[in-house]
Amino acid sequence: MAHHGPRQAESLLLLQIRLAITAWCSLLPSSGASAYTGNHTATMPPGPCSPDQATALLRLKRSFTATNYSIVAFRSWRAGTDCSAGRACAAATVTAAYLNLASNDFNGSQLPSTGFERITELTHLNLSSSSFSGQVPNGIGHLTNLMSLDLSTSFEFDETLRYVPNIRVYSVSYVVSFVEQNLKKLIAKLRNLRELNLGFVDLSDNESSHWCNIVAKSCPELRVLSLPYCQLSGPICASLSSLRSLSVIDLQYNILSGPIPDFFSNFSDLSVLRLSNNKLQGWIPPEIFQHKKLVTIDLYHNLEISGYLPSFTYSITSLENLDVGRTNFSGTIPTSIGNLTSLRRLGLSASGFSGELPSSIGMLKSLSELEISGMGIVGFMPSWVANLTSLTSLQFSDCGLSGPVPSSVSNLTKLQKLALSKCSFSGEIPSYISNLVQLQTILLSPNNFIGKLEFTFFRKLTHLSILDLSDNDLVVVDGANDSSLASLPKLNYLSLSRCRICKYPNFLRHQDQIAWLDLSDNQIHGAVPKWAWQSFPNFPSVMNLSNNKLTSVGYAPFLPIHSWKLDLSNNMLEGLIPVPRGPTILLDYSNNEFSSLPSNFITHLHEVGVFKASGNKFSGKIPLSFCDVINIQLLDLSYNNYSGTIPSCLVENANGILSLKLKQNRLSGKFPDNIKEGCSFEALDFSGNRIGGQLPRSLVACKNLEFFGQAVPSTSDEEDTTCKFPSLRVLDLASNNFSGTLRKAWLTELKSMIVKSENEPVVKEYLGTYKITTLITYKGFDFTISNILWTLVYIDISSNALRGSTPESIGALAMLNVLNMSRHSLTGPIPSQLGRLGQMETLDLSFNELSGTVPQELASLDFLSMLNLSYNKLEGRVPESPHFMTFSDGSFLGNGGLCGPPLSKECIGTIPPPAVSGRSMERSVDIVLFLFVGLGFGVGFAIAVVVMSWGIPTRKPS
């Protein structure tokens, strides 16, 4: 919308309000006044309002509460006055073909639920970007003459930061828009519709996977289909192929899955195809890129679609925007891409691209944005970049390019964004970058840049607002001339992680607009200066000071900032934890020396979703006030000195906690038995305490539990009390005082351990700002895990007081990778059914009272790389196989009755077990070779719930 002066803005808004009045006039019986019809003004004699007329007009007045202008316009509308007093009366029939209230701010006002159905001649209705909210009025669905319906909220998604490491922008959460609970009812009668724009209308309450069939059946003449940000799911259905007049298809930012249909290539009028930021899959027909009328094709961020770029002929002259970034596209970039002479935006940031970059890209003189990725793209930055003098954005990310940044980049004087991320560029940062005075964004992390960089280097870049120099071999300092620091550009985003900074940067004293500051992984020591907090703006911000040597934050106990995320983890801070004033979403105090919480700290944590304080010196009882944090989803108080019992209110789960971690404290007593139906726990960890007894039956309410939670069974055989956790993949009850026996029934209910799920795991997001980490022991080593690896299935119930035999039903857990049942009083034989666990990599049954022989079936576990059967009462010959020969005698110590290799004790008078078949022996050797090659990568093994791209390093406290 164009900018206007105050009088122009008032006149424009009043004109638009009069258009609305005209529409409402048609809802009323005849009374007289003037009305704008689109072509002329009809004057009717004034008359008094009937009660129903007055009611309708006053309802309209109340609905427009957005601005002072609208209030002035309707000020004379009072009960008992005539209609003409409000300049509104209406003729018996008023024809208004167009109604346009677009691009205004009605401040979340709701439209009347009835009335629109009377504007029968309306052909164009545009309520876009006017901040209306609530349900779309039903009457709109009765406007059978409509040719264009626009209820969208335009939103320019800020993709400036989309390649900044560790950041995601979720501003879309705050958009005011309509809700439509019944798409079919809205458009079923709109048979004449040519344009349907519902961007940001919430369609999630519909059978959202059926949207496609509804649109195809209801609107056969449709030419523009624009449904971005509508929370649509399911596939793009075949019935959409009937809409052969479609020229614009915009379905970006939804949850669509399945393939991209081939029939899009047959739409002769197709000019815009936007499918970015979905979950589409499969092969993309190359023909779609050769469509002669296509202006825009945007497939960005569909991780599972694949394809290659075809040869482009000279006849494809319309294409202006081509983006296949963050897809599984591969192959070489064709030389013929130089024939796309109208290209303005070229996004080739798919890591599968390889080979040389064609020099023909340098012929695309109209190009303003260029993004390229591909680890197979090697060599130096091409010199032809200098020819692209219209570039405003240049990006090479996740690529194999190396060497210095060439001097030819200095020719790109219009450059606003320079992003050289996750490649291997080296050398010093070129001095000419400071002369590219239009630069707004510089992203150089991570690479191999070296040298000392004074921050005054950026003083001429007056438009600079985003700067990332992290993860290089740089030493960043203030600069020799402190007086010039005040004239540095005002930054909004600054990341200087791992930049060898030894003291809090002085140049930040003059930065009062930073909303995102990352100084993590440096050597900043001492106290954070008080001015550092006072320089932050008043709106919520992000501050990461983790992994330094800070001893004080300068304030206690409340910090004078509003913080979206505050990370002080892995420092040397002590005493009271500092709490930001105002709303905060994530707080991380892990691995410090904090010993106490402010008495009223909870009053500042109402918005907190993540609170992490593991590895400190907190003691006493866990404060009950944590139960009053209504939005908390992750609470981690592990590795402290808390004692007493687990607060019952935390386990009631009334506030929707997803992850509760109390590991390695001094808690005692029993686990609370008051878990409510609908429990939302996905991760529970209280291992390493003194919790005794049996886990409660009420834990069965936690159907989504993925980390920890299967009840140690009682001796009851009642089927209806069996705890069922079909989502459980990681069970860690180690180092407690649990007692009882293992029952067959509870093992058979671990569905995620029995069969591989065909569905992708649901990744829970809390404004994209946190992830859950955990520490587990795998193959004898401790791992701190902060990323999702859904292939690991893990059971560790070691160091408790279980008794009885090992159920044979454990052999049904075919997906199990790790089983640790050591240090109990288990008796009886090792079940031969363990030989069915073909994915098993670690098996520890040590320090029990198991008897009998080692089952020959264990020799068939080809992936088994760690075995510990020591200190039991086993006897007989150790199974013979090339695979078992790789284990040391330490795997079998403390079993006086065992004999045979790899033990030095020979077997006398025993019959050797049958040898493993040649085929199995050959397979075992192959697998062993594979293990040597493949297990070097750190298989992350854990449960993580969400997400922030910025991982928070953790360490196990000593």
Side-chain angles (χ1 to χ4, degrees):
M1 186 174 177
H3 295 285
H4 302 276
R7 292 183 180 273
Q8 291 173 311
E10 180 174 359
S11 299
L12 179 60
L13 185 54
L14 288 174
L15 174 60
Q16 291 167 327
I17 290 173
R18 288 190 184 105
L19 286 174
I21 294 171
T22 301
W24 250 269
C25 285
S26 68
L27 312 183
L28 305 174
S30 176
S31 62
S34 63
Y36 178 77
T37 66
N39 297 315
H40 63 277
T41 300
T43 303
M44 309 296 292
C49 284
S50 65
D52 59 338
Q53 288 176 317
T55 299
L57 290 173
L58 290 171
R59 187 169 65 248
L60 171 64
K61 173 186 176 181
R62 287 192 297 269
S63 71
F64 291 109
T65 57
T67 65
N68 289 332
Y69 300 140
S70 60
I71 293 172
V72 170
F74 302 128
R75 184 173 295 162
S76 62
W77 292 15
R78 298 184 300 274
T81 63
D82 61 60
C83 297
S84 60
R87 301 191 184 100
C89 140
T93 302
V94 177
T95 301
Y98 291 77
L99 177 57
N100 185 348
L101 290 175
S103 301
N104 283 288
D105 183 4
F106 289 97
N107 197 31
S109 297
Q110 296 188 18
L111 291 171
S113 58
T114 60
F116 272 96
E117 65 276 4
R118 302 185 191 178
I119 320 177
T120 56
E121 302 302 318
L122 206 61
T123 60
H124 293 74
L125 176 59
N126 189 348
L127 304 177
S128 64
S129 299
S130 293
S131 296
F132 286 118
S133 66
Q135 176 68 31
V136 177
N138 291 332
I140 292 177
H142 294 277
L143 302 178
T144 56
N145 289 310
L146 270 186
M147 299 176 65
S148 176
L149 175 61
D150 193 345
L151 305 178
S152 65
T153 299
S154 62
F155 182 80
E156 186 174 344
F157 190 82
D158 185 4
E159 295 191 349
T160 307
L161 298 177
R162 76 180 190 181
Y163 282 103
V164 176
N166 312 323
I167 183 172
R168 299 173 96 183
V169 180
Y170 280 89
S171 303
V172 297
S173 302
Y174 305 103
V175 173
V176 177
S177 60
F178 285 114
V179 173
E180 178 49 63
Q181 297 177 343
N182 193 329
L183 178 62
K184 183 177 181 180
K185 188 174 181 180
L186 174 65
I187 66 174
K189 298 179 180 180
L190 307 184
R191 306 285 294 177
N192 294 310
L193 208 60
R194 304 294 194 274
E195 299 181 6
L196 178 62
N197 296 280
L198 300 179
F200 268 113
V201 175
D202 184 354
L203 302 176
S204 60
D205 286 341
N206 292 270
E207 296 181 31
S208 57
S209 60
H210 296 164
W211 66 271
C212 191
N213 290 315
I214 294 171
V215 170
K217 183 177 180 180
S218 304
C219 308
E221 304 298 323
L222 206 59
R223 297 174 185 173
V224 174
L225 175 61
S226 180
L227 303 176
Y229 301 98
C230 289
Q231 302 186 53
L232 301 174
S233 61
I236 301 174
C237 60
S239 59
L240 208 63
S241 62
S242 64
L243 305 182
R244 303 188 67 84
S245 297
L246 279 174
S247 62
V248 174
I249 301 173
D250 186 351
L251 301 172
Q252 59 184 329
Y253 292 96
N254 282 293
I255 322 169
L256 300 176
S257 58
I260 295 177
D262 292 350
F263 58 73
F264 283 165
S265 304
N266 300 324
F267 287 179
S268 58
D269 294 321
L270 189 63
S271 61
V272 174
L273 180 61
R274 296 187 184 274
L275 301 174
S276 65
N277 293 277
N278 278 286
K279 296 184 178 181
L280 297 166
Q281 305 142 344
W283 181 260
I284 305 300
E287 294 80 15
I288 201 167
F289 296 96
Q290 298 170 317
H291 200 295
K292 292 184 180 180
K293 290 188 179 180
L294 206 61
V295 175
T296 294
I297 179 168
D298 187 354
L299 306 178
Y300 177 79
H301 201 179
N302 285 279
L303 302 178
E304 296 188 30
I305 63 173
S306 57
Y308 63 90
L309 295 178
S311 178
F312 297 99
T313 65
Y314 285 103
S315 62
I316 308 175
T317 58
S318 301
L319 196 60
E320 296 180 4
N321 303 290
L322 169 61
D323 197 340
V324 294
R326 297 200 69 182
T327 65
N328 201 25
F329 266 62
S330 58
T332 58
I333 299 170
T335 302
S336 59
I337 204 167
N339 295 333
L340 305 178
T341 54
S342 297
L343 271 184
R344 298 181 180 275
R345 178 179 179 181
L346 178 58
L348 303 177
S349 54
S351 58
F353 284 125
S354 59
E356 292 187 8
L357 292 173
S359 59
S360 57
I361 297 179
M363 301 168 59
L364 302 176
K365 297 299 181 67
S366 298
L367 208 60
S368 61
E369 297 181 39
L370 175 62
E371 300 177 0
I372 295 178
S373 294
M375 295 309 297
I377 297 175
V378 295
F380 300 112
M381 186 183 295
S383 59
W384 47 255
V385 167
N387 300 331
L388 304 176
T389 53
S390 296
L391 277 184
T392 60
S393 177
L394 174 63
Q395 178 165 301
F396 290 97
S397 62
D398 295 282
C399 67
L401 296 180
S402 59
V405 180
S407 59
S408 56
V409 173
S410 62
N411 293 346
L412 309 180
T413 56
K414 297 181 180 179
L415 211 58
Q416 298 175 16
K417 177 181 179 180
L418 176 63
L420 308 178
S421 304
K422 299 182 182 179
C423 295
S424 298
F425 295 111
S426 58
E428 295 188 348
I429 295 177
S431 59
Y432 63 75
I433 287 181
S434 64
N435 296 321
L436 300 176
V437 294
Q438 299 300 318
L439 277 174
Q440 300 173 16
T441 299
I442 300 177
L443 307 176
L444 302 179
S445 165
N447 283 285
N448 297 318
F449 290 115
I450 61 172
K452 182 178 180 180
L453 183 68
E454 295 185 355
F455 212 79
T456 50
F457 174 88
F458 303 102
R459 63 183 180 274
K460 291 190 290 185
L461 305 182
T462 56
H463 300 289
L464 190 65
S465 63
I466 298 171
L467 177 62
D468 187 352
L469 303 176
S470 300
D471 301 301
N472 285 284
D473 197 13
L474 295 170
V475 179
V476 176
V477 297
D478 285 326
N481 185 4
D482 284 352
S483 61
S484 64
L485 297 179
S487 62
L488 288 171
K490 300 292 187 179
L491 301 176
N492 301 127
Y493 175 100
L494 176 63
S495 182
L496 299 176
S497 177
R498 295 184 180 90
C499 285
R500 300 187 187 180
I501 300 173
C502 294
K503 66 176 183 177
Y504 200 88
N506 193 44
F507 71 85
L508 290 174
R509 183 188 295 270
H510 307 285
Q511 296 291 326
D512 56 4
Q513 297 179 20
I514 289 184
W516 189 292
L517 177 63
D518 186 355
L519 297 176
S520 62
D521 293 281
N522 284 291
Q523 293 92 43
I524 303 174
H525 58 273
V528 178
K530 287 191 174 183
W531 58 256
W533 307 102
Q534 296 166 348
S535 63
F536 264 77
N538 291 325
F539 51 84
S541 54
V542 171
M543 189 173 193
N544 187 355
L545 299 177
S546 64
N547 293 283
N548 279 285
K549 299 178 180 180
L550 296 171
T551 55
S552 170
V553 295
Y555 281 90
F558 299 109
L559 299 172
I561 63 168
H562 297 268
S563 181
W564 179 40
K565 172 176 180 174
L566 175 64
D567 189 350
L568 299 175
S569 62
N570 295 291
N571 278 285
M572 296 182 289
L573 301 168
E574 57 186 11
L576 282 169
I577 65 166
V579 180
R581 297 184 184 274
T584 301
I585 294 177
L586 186 150
L587 293 172
D588 194 346
Y589 304 106
S590 305
N591 301 318
N592 280 284
E593 305 292 326
F594 290 121
S595 57
S596 56
L597 298 164
S599 57
N600 58 341
F601 78 101
I602 213 68
T603 60
H604 295 269
L605 299 184
H606 286 302
E607 302 297 325
V608 167
V610 177
F611 187 93
K612 303 178 70 173
S614 65
N616 281 282
K617 294 183 177 180
F618 298 116
S619 58
K621 294 184 177 181
I622 295 176
L624 296 178
S625 51
F626 277 117
C627 300
D628 298 325
V629 184
I630 59 176
N631 291 313
I632 198 161
Q633 296 199 6
L634 185 158
L635 177 61
D636 187 355
L637 302 175
S638 304
Y639 295 100
N640 279 287
N641 294 313
Y642 281 119
S643 57
T645 59
I646 298 175
S648 177
C649 57
L650 282 180
V651 181
E652 286 180 357
N653 205 230
N655 294 338
I657 298 179
L658 298 179
S659 176
L660 176 62
K661 303 184 67 180
L662 305 174
K663 184 173 185 175
Q664 293 291 343
N665 279 279
R666 297 180 180 178
L667 300 171
S668 58
K670 295 183 178 181
F671 196 81
D673 190 10
N674 57 346
I675 300 174
K676 295 182 178 179
E677 194 64 32
C679 157
S680 59
F681 281 127
E682 295 181 354
L684 276 172
D685 190 353
F686 54 89
S687 57
N689 284 284
R690 301 168 185 170
I691 308 298
Q694 297 178 352
L695 292 183
R697 290 291 179 188
S698 61
L699 197 60
V700 72
C702 303
K703 301 295 185 184
N704 297 320
L705 204 56
E706 294 173 341
F707 177 82
F708 159 80
Q710 178 65 41
V712 178
S714 70
T715 57
S716 172
D717 292 324
E718 297 179 26
E719 185 176 352
D720 59 353
T721 60
T722 300
C723 293
K724 300 179 180 180
F725 294 96
S727 300
L728 194 68
R729 300 182 70 86
V730 176
L731 172 63
D732 186 351
L733 298 176
S735 303
N736 277 287
N737 293 322
F738 291 117
S739 59
T741 59
L742 293 170
R743 288 178 59 230
K744 172 183 177 181
W746 73 272
L747 290 169
T748 58
E749 295 299 337
L750 302 177
K751 303 299 185 184
S752 289
M753 299 188 183
I754 295 175
V755 293
K756 187 174 183 179
S757 174
E758 295 180 358
N759 299 321
E760 290 185 7
V762 176
V763 177
K764 303 291 192 298
E765 294 189 348
Y766 189 83
L767 295 181
T769 61
Y770 71 88
K771 67 170 71 171
I772 293 176
T773 61
T774 190
L775 184 144
I776 66 173
T777 301
Y778 179 76
K779 297 187 179 180
F781 298 95
D782 286 341
F783 289 90
T784 298
I785 306 302
S786 57
N787 293 313
I788 300 172
L789 183 74
W790 296 98
T791 55
L792 182 84
V793 180
Y794 177 99
I795 292 179
D796 186 354
I797 55 176
S798 61
S799 301
N800 280 282
L802 301 181
R803 63 185 187 276
S805 61
T806 305
E808 297 176 354
S809 59
I810 203 167
L813 306 182
M815 306 306 299
L816 198 59
N817 305 114
V818 177
L819 176 61
N820 189 345
M821 297 170 59
S822 63
R823 299 181 184 275
H824 290 284
S825 299
L826 299 176
T827 58
I830 298 174
S832 60
Q833 287 80 2
L834 289 177
R836 300 174 185 172
L837 304 181
Q839 304 297 318
M840 183 72 72
E841 300 176 27
T842 295
L843 176 60
D844 191 346
L845 302 175
S846 62
F847 292 95
N848 279 288
E849 298 177 23
L850 300 172
S851 58
T853 61
V854 179
Q856 180 66 30
E857 288 80 359
L858 295 185
S860 64
L861 298 179
D862 293 328
F863 288 102
L864 194 64
S865 58
M866 178 181 174
L867 175 67
N868 192 351
L869 304 178
S870 62
Y871 298 99
N872 279 284
K873 298 178 179 180
L874 300 171
E875 58 187 7
R877 183 184 295 271
V878 175
E880 293 184 5
S881 75
H883 188 50
F884 256 53
M885 290 297 294
T886 64
F887 299 127
S888 69
D889 57 358
S891 296
F892 308 98
L893 288 176
N895 291 280
L898 286 179
C899 60
L903 300 174
S904 58
K905 181 179 178 181
E906 295 184 4
C907 295
I908 301 175
T910 60
I911 301 174
V916 179
S917 68
R919 181 175 179 181
S920 296
M921 291 175 63
E922 180 180 343
R923 182 183 176 201
S924 296
V925 172
D926 290 341
I927 294 298
V928 171
L929 291 175
F930 165 77
L931 290 173
F932 279 117
V933 173
L935 290 181
F937 65 91
V939 229
F941 309 118
I943 199 78
V945 180
V946 179
V947 64
M948 171 114 183
S949 17
W950 160 9
I952 303 172
T954 62
R955 64 171 187 244
K956 183 179 179 181
S958 57

